[in-house]
Amino acid sequence: MSQSPPPHRGNAALFSVIPRLIPLTITSFLAMLAIGIPLPVLPVRVHDGLGFGAVIVGAVVGSQSLVTVLTRGVMGGMVDIRGAKWAVITGLPLAALSGLSYLASLAVASPELSLAVLVCGRMVLGLAESLFITGLLSWGIGRLGPAQTGLVMGWNGIAVMAALAVGAPIGVLVQDSFGFAAVAALAAACPLLGLMIALMLPGVPKAAKGGAPRMPFFQVVGLIWRHGLVLSLSTAPFALLGSFVVLTFAERGWSGAGIALSLYGAGFVVARLLFSHTPDRYGGAVVSIVSLVIEGIGQALLWGAPQMEVAWLGAFLTGAGFSLVFPAMGVDAVRRVPRESQGVAIGSFTAFMDIALGLTGPLAGLMVARAGFSSVFLAGALACIVGVVMVFRLKRRTV
């Protein structure tokens, strides 16, 4: 199946669609704060407040991601049938309900029952994320048009990254100042603010209209799994940097790991702001290849850096390279399926990133035990090389 990128419409056309994207971007930011704000606080609550060990802490935090992965495709199908706005205005109250469940857990005296309430809240949040993220992406594409798919995915990614980056310190500050109850209340309030914005926006037509045939789920996955695998390969270096850069810097006797993480975030945001339109203009394959090469260079610099400043550059390039792979591969993935199955494609494609985030840490841990912390960045560079090869093969399949 060969599809060339749509003709470039000029910067004036690009700027004309951005105002229609901003309300959805703000909604996405507010929704993701329900995840970002409690994220650094929940381990403290489970470990110190309820007295459970590290394994239970990991299970509680990870339960949300597990539900998200398992429900992405199904919720994508619901978006196609019920509409993008329905998914958002259903998902946002569920996200708020998750925050309320954290609050309710404080009223339960038994540590075991309190933990169960927390886990239920995390699972509800996983379902909510599947709904509002897929819904917001589909809504944005419907609102701006398929020719701006990359722009929609790019700006949504900025909102997600910003919410996670800002939410964590806010959560810690609120916890230290007012306690866990205030964290829970804030996590419930933010998606409700997003809901107020979403209710004021006009919806877009449902992807699956009337009796129009929808592609079966496994057929959709069969069309986009290669794009998803490239996304997974590009996600691995991101996960490696977040998990091991501090330990790598300590192993080398450097003190600037925090700067490296900040530079990573700066590279991600700068690339998204400046180049989110490029997948729509040049095609997802071209942008993905360039991005993976940049990300791979960043990982190689982190692996072999002779001094801290070189590692900082590697962190920045890793963020800048990873930034555009999601919208670039997403553009091509969405274009491979009929409009009636767009939500399933978005949900299934996004699940590949969730899977990579879940698997990368444990696999890297096995490598660290044998070759040291810095070795994981060599593995990250190799993942980028494999990703480039896969994209070239995808290009040959679609020419």
Side-chain angles (χ1 to χ4, degrees):
M1 184 182 300
S2 176
Q3 289 190 344
S4 58
H8 174 48
R9 296 168 58 194
N11 289 331
L14 176 65
F15 290 132
S16 71
V17 301
I18 286 178
R20 284 181 281 158
L21 187 56
I22 288 176
L24 294 177
T25 304
I26 295 173
T27 302
S28 182
F29 173 77
L30 291 168
M32 287 301 298
L33 283 177
I35 297 175
I37 288 174
L39 192 58
V41 175
L42 277 170
V44 178
R45 170 63 185 163
V46 174
H47 186 273
D48 297 344
L50 298 178
F52 292 97
V55 174
I56 299 299
V57 170
V60 172
V61 174
S63 59
Q64 180 234 316
S65 297
L66 177 63
V67 173
T68 300
V69 170
L70 293 177
T71 58
R72 288 268 194 205
V74 175
M75 292 303 104
M78 293 298 294
V79 172
D80 292 329
I81 296 171
R82 304 293 298 271
K85 183 171 183 176
W86 171 87
V88 174
I89 64 176
T90 302
L92 292 177
L94 286 175
L97 181 61
S98 174
L100 294 176
S101 74
Y102 302 157
L103 193 60
S105 71
L106 292 171
V108 181
S110 166
E112 291 77 12
L113 291 178
S114 181
L115 180 73
V117 175
L118 279 177
V119 171
C120 288
R122 296 293 292 168
M123 295 176 73
V124 168
L125 185 59
L127 178 62
E129 184 188 355
S130 289
L131 281 166
F132 67 67
I133 287 293
T134 306
L136 285 165
L137 288 170
S138 297
W139 200 348
I141 294 170
R143 192 169 166 85
L144 273 65
Q148 302 294 347
T149 297
L151 186 69
V152 172
M153 289 186 164
W155 277 57
N156 184 78
I158 292 173
V160 170
M161 178 64 70
L164 295 176
V166 172
I170 290 176
V172 172
L173 178 63
V174 173
Q175 166 79 8
D176 291 343
S177 302
F178 305 104
F180 185 70
V183 172
L186 187 59
C190 288
L192 293 180
L193 291 175
L195 179 64
M196 292 174 62
I197 297 174
L199 289 171
M200 292 187 291
L201 297 175
V204 294
K206 300 174 185 177
K209 298 179 180 179
R214 295 175 60 243
M215 188 175 288
F217 171 76
F218 287 106
Q219 190 174 350
V220 173
V221 174
L223 290 174
I224 62 97
W225 73 266
R226 294 176 180 85
H227 303 79
L229 187 54
V230 172
L231 176 63
S232 292
L233 289 166
S234 73
T235 301
F238 156 67
L240 292 171
L241 190 147
S243 299
F244 293 102
V245 71
V246 174
L247 296 170
T248 299
F249 270 53
E251 183 180 63
R252 296 174 177 176
W254 299 340
S255 60
I259 295 176
L261 289 168
S262 297
L263 286 171
Y264 165 81
F268 182 96
V269 172
V270 167
R272 281 280 175 103
L273 285 174
L274 296 180
F275 303 111
S276 286
H277 62 288
T278 55
D280 298 316
R281 183 184 301 184
Y282 302 111
V286 172
V287 175
S288 293
I289 290 170
V290 174
S291 297
L292 284 163
V293 168
I294 293 171
E295 187 179 17
I297 292 171
Q299 290 285 284
L301 290 177
L302 282 163
W303 169 59
Q307 57 194 44
M308 184 168 57
E309 290 77 10
V310 176
W312 286 347
L313 176 61
F316 180 85
L317 292 177
T318 297
F322 172 63
S323 181
L324 293 179
V325 178
F326 178 81
M329 280 289 96
V331 165
D332 285 358
V334 170
R335 288 175 183 163
R336 288 184 64 81
V337 302
R339 170 87 172 95
E340 292 76 19
S341 298
Q342 176 180 280
V344 175
I346 292 173
S348 302
F349 174 72
T350 307
F352 280 90
M353 182 161 60
D354 298 321
I355 293 169
L357 290 171
L359 293 180
T360 298
L363 293 176
L366 297 175
M367 179 175 293
V368 166
R370 293 177 176 269
F373 291 114
S374 62
S375 64
V376 300
F377 298 117
L378 175 59
L382 293 175
C384 292
I385 292 173
V386 174
V388 169
V389 172
M390 286 201 64
V391 178
F392 271 116
R393 295 187 65 178
L394 273 171
K395 277 178 64 68
R396 287 202 299 268
R397 290 174 63 91
T398 55
V399 170

